[in-house]
Amino acid sequence: MTFRKFIAIPVLFCVFTGARGQDCSVKLRDAENRFNAGLVEEVPALLKECLDKGFTRAEELTAYQVIIRSYLYDDKMDLAEQTMLEFLQKYPEYEIRTTDNADFIYLLGKFRVKPVVQISLKGSANLSFISVMERNSLSGDPVKGKYRNGSATYGLGIDARFTITDKIEIGGGIDYSQLGFNYMEELLDFTRVNYSEKQQRLELPLEVYYNPKHYGLFYPYIKAGTGLAMNFRTVAVVNTENIDVNNAVPHTGEPENRNPARNFADPLFIAGLGCKIKLPHSYFFADISTRMGLRNQSVTENPGNLPWHYFYSDDLFRINALKLSVGYIYIFYRPEKREELP
C-alpha cells in the first residue's frame, strides 16, 4: 500500500462520516418542515435510519420528539409509546427542558424509569485489629503479648445493589480481602517471640443501605449488614530473638502454613457510612466501614510446630478490619409505563 493510499483511507472515512452527519441534519430539518406542514405520516420513516447513527445528541433528542409527536398527531398511540420506551432506554436520566413540547411532556409523564440494579467495582485499603477472647502462653509466668496492626493491606470487590424504596437499597457481592497483624511476646526473660500473620479471604457481604437525603450531586448513606468470610490461605512468619545470650534458641525458619490452625468460615458483622457522587448513569463512591469477625480464629488442636520451635501458642482471638473503600457504580435502568387508574 502506497503512502497516498494509506492517507486516503482515513480522509475518505472522515469525509463520508461528515457527509452522513450533514445529510442527517438536512433530514431532520426536512422532517420538522413536513411535520409543520401536517405531513406527519412521512416523518418517522424519514428519520429512522439516522436514529441508529448520524445524529448528534442534541439532534437525536429533537428527532425523537418529532417522531413521537408525529405518532400522536397521527393517532398511533401504540407506536408513540413504543418510541418513548426506546427513547427512555437510551436516555433514562432525561430531564425535561423548557423547549420541550407539551405533547411530549404529557406522554413522558405516563412513564417512569426505575433503577433495576447498580453494579459496583471497588478497591479497599484494610487495617486489621484483634479482639482477644482468651490468652494462651507457654510461659509459667506469662507476660501479656502485644498485638499490632500489620501494614495496610488491600482488597477488591464487586457488588450488586437493588432499590427497595427511594431511601433503602439492599446489596450483596464478593470481595477478595487481605488481613494481617503482628504479635510480640517476651518469654521467661530469655527470648522474644515475633509473630506476623497474613490471611487471604473471600468475603460474601449482605448489606442494607439507607439514603436519608441528597445534597445536589452528593448522596450520603449509612450501611449495616452481615456476611461470611472464608479464609483460604494463612501464612505466618515467626522468629525469636535472644534476650539471654546464654540460652540458644532457633531464630528463624520458613514461612508457616497456618491454614490447619485457623477456622475456615468466619461470620461477620458490618457497619459503615459513605457518600456517592452522581455522574451520568453512574456514581463514584467512597465509604469507611468495619467488619467484625464473630468467630474464634484459633484451632488449638492444630498448632503445628510453633510451640516447640518458636515457643509460640495462639491466643483465642477474633480478627476484625477497618476498610476504606472507593469505587464506581454503574446504574442499569428499566423504563416502564405507569399504571393508569380505571
Side-chain angles (χ1 to χ4, degrees), residues 21-324:
Q22 292 177 355
D23 182 54
C24 286
S25 297
V26 171
K27 285 184 177 181
L28 178 58
R29 289 195 294 271
D30 186 15
E32 290 181 298
N33 290 334
R34 295 189 189 197
F35 176 85
N36 292 330
L39 303 174
V40 293
E41 68 278 358
E42 299 177 6
V43 169
L46 186 63
L47 297 178
K48 180 175 176 54
E49 183 180 358
C50 288
L51 278 180
D52 297 329
K53 49 184 177 180
F55 283 137
T56 65
R57 184 180 188 277
E59 289 173 340
E60 188 172 64
L61 292 174
T62 301
Y64 268 112
Q65 292 211 29
V66 174
I67 293 173
I68 289 170
R69 292 177 65 200
S70 296
Y71 283 137
L72 290 174
Y73 277 60
D74 203 18
D75 200 24
K76 295 180 179 178
M77 180 60 72
D78 290 345
L79 289 175
E81 292 178 350
Q82 180 181 332
T83 306
M84 180 62 78
L85 275 174
E86 179 184 324
F87 170 76
L88 291 174
Q89 286 167 355
K90 285 188 177 181
Y91 300 100
E93 296 180 341
Y94 182 78
E95 295 183 0
I96 294 175
R97 304 173 298 178
T98 56
T99 56
D100 289 342
N101 181 270
D103 296 327
F104 175 83
I105 295 174
Y106 170 75
L107 185 60
L108 182 65
K110 291 189 173 184
F111 291 80
R112 60 183 176 185
V113 180
K114 298 173 63 176
V116 179
V117 61
Q118 303 174 39
I119 302 296
S120 68
L121 298 175
K122 63 183 177 182
S124 65
N126 308 323
L127 192 63
S128 310
F129 57 99
I130 299 299
S131 300
V132 177
M133 303 169 63
E134 181 180 315
R135 295 278 182 176
N136 287 322
S137 175
L138 298 181
S139 171
D141 184 20
V143 176
K144 287 185 178 180
K146 296 180 180 179
Y147 286 94
R148 291 180 293 111
N149 301 322
S151 57
T153 53
Y154 69 90
L156 299 169
I158 180 169
D159 294 328
R161 303 185 189 184
F162 300 88
T163 301
I164 304 302
T165 69
D166 290 341
K167 294 187 176 182
I168 297 177
E169 300 166 347
I170 61 171
I174 181 169
D175 297 347
Y176 165 78
S177 188
Q178 292 185 341
L179 301 181
F181 66 91
N182 299 320
Y183 174 81
M184 187 274 291
E185 179 183 352
E186 292 186 358
L187 186 70
L188 298 176
D189 297 326
F190 74 88
T191 191
R192 180 182 294 116
V193 180
N194 296 301
Y195 178 90
S196 178
E197 178 172 308
K198 181 172 286 188
Q199 297 186 2
Q200 297 183 45
R201 298 148 64 99
L202 286 179
E203 299 178 355
L204 304 176
L206 180 63
E207 298 166 312
V208 177
Y209 301 84
Y210 176 67
N211 309 277
K213 62 185 299 186
H214 69 91
Y215 305 89
L217 299 177
F218 296 90
Y219 291 71
Y221 61 86
I222 302 169
K223 67 177 183 178
T226 185
L228 181 68
M230 293 169 289
N231 183 1
F232 64 90
R233 188 169 187 264
T234 301
V235 175
V237 175
V238 195
N239 66 71
T240 55
E241 301 176 60
N242 289 332
I243 298 175
D244 181 356
V245 296
N246 296 317
N247 290 278
V249 294
H251 292 281
T252 60
E254 295 296 322
E256 297 279 340
N257 174 18
R258 301 303 322 274
N259 279 21
R262 295 290 173 260
N263 281 309
F264 172 72
D266 186 12
L268 303 173
F269 170 75
I270 304 169
L273 52 87
C275 185
K276 299 185 293 188
I277 302 174
K278 190 69 180 75
L279 304 171
H281 292 258
S282 60
Y283 297 100
F284 171 81
F285 77 94
D287 68 35
I288 185 168
S289 63
T290 182
R291 294 193 175 182
M292 307 293 293
L294 302 179
R295 187 182 186 188
N296 166 45
Q297 288 283 297
S298 179
V299 180
T300 54
E301 58 267 28
N302 293 313
N305 67 350
L306 270 64
W308 299 274
H309 197 58
Y310 297 105
F311 307 106
Y312 171 81
S313 178
D314 282 322
D315 291 332
L316 304 187
F317 68 96
R318 293 188 290 262
I319 189 167
N320 318 296
L322 188 67
K323 300 173 73 75
L324 175 62

